[in-house]
């Protein structure tokens, strides 16, 4: 019998600083080993991908950087943070943070506390260079293709910059909301 699986939606953030480093958090999910993954947040009722992205960025890292373009969409079966496999639709979104951005990945923040699910799983954070990621074992990253996506970001800078600039110009000029862009 083929069971219908619930679709869970999540915004995943490729947070990149001006030096081209990618912000990853080390998550511990039983029974797996610790894995380095992007900041992310499951969509809450009535929430769109850009809103979930902004919320996750604030909750998990204490950052308020502009949300950029959609980079990749993944639709797969996963057991992330749960024992029963579920169908996940994840959208990987670019976020550019200024050099002065200070990550505040602290479970005791009162302005954006971590959820009960996040508190035991988030262990550390690190700004990864592409070289560090290439030298590390790919199985340390979830998904394993994160170094490839960072490489694409770093080597398609002009195109991504134009897309981001165009998106933000449209929002300013016409009131275009990011939710319409991503949905």
């Amino acid at each position: 019998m083929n069971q219908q699986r619930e679709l869970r939606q999540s915004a995943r953030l490729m947070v990149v600083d001006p030096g081209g480093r990618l912000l990853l958090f080390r998550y511990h999910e039983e029974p797996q080993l610790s894995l380095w993954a992007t900041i992310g947040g499951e969509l809450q009722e009535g929430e769109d991908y850009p809103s979930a992205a902004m919320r996750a960025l604030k909750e998990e890292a204490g950052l308020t950087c502009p949300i950029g373009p959609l980079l990749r969409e993944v639709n797969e079966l996963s057991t992330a943070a749960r024992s029963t496999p579920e169908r996940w639709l994840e959208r990987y979104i670019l976020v550019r943070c200024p050099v002065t951005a200070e990550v505040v990945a602290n479970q005791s923040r009162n302005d954006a506390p971590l959820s009960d699910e996040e508190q035991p799983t988030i262990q550390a954070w690190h700004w990864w260079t592409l070289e560090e990621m290439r030298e590390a074992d790919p199985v340390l990253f979830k998904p394993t293709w994160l170094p490839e996506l960072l490489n694409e970001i770093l080597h398609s800078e002009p195109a991504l910059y134009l897309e981001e600039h165009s998106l933000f110009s449209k929002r300013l000029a016409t009131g275009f909301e990011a939710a319409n862009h991503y949905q």
Side-chain angles (χ1 to χ4, degrees), residues 68-73 91-94 160 163 181-182:
L70 174 65
L71 299 171
R72 188 173 289 185
E73 188 171 89
R91 291 187 177 173
Y92 285 77
I93 301 167
L94 180 62
L160 286 175
E163 185 177 341
H181 178 72
Y182 293 114

Side-chain angles (χ1 to χ4, degrees), residues 68-134:
L70 174 65
L71 299 171
R72 188 173 289 185
E73 188 171 89
V74 177
N75 184 348
E76 66 184 10
L77 201 58
S78 176
T79 58
R82 292 172 174 83
S83 59
T84 305
E86 296 172 308
R87 172 83 34 210
W88 282 87
L89 180 59
E90 296 180 316
R91 291 187 177 173
Y92 285 77
I93 301 167
L94 180 62
V95 175
R96 294 262 179 218
C97 277
V99 72
T100 58
E102 181 181 344
V103 176
V104 182
N106 183 338
Q107 297 177 12
S108 64
R109 290 190 328 268
N110 292 327
D111 61 331
L114 296 176
S115 71
D116 291 340
E117 188 175 285
E118 293 166 330
Q119 286 183 11
T121 62
I122 296 175
Q123 298 177 327
W125 61 270
H126 179 70
W127 289 97
W128 288 81
T129 65
L130 181 57
E131 293 75 29
E132 287 176 319
M133 293 182 80
R134 286 180 170 163

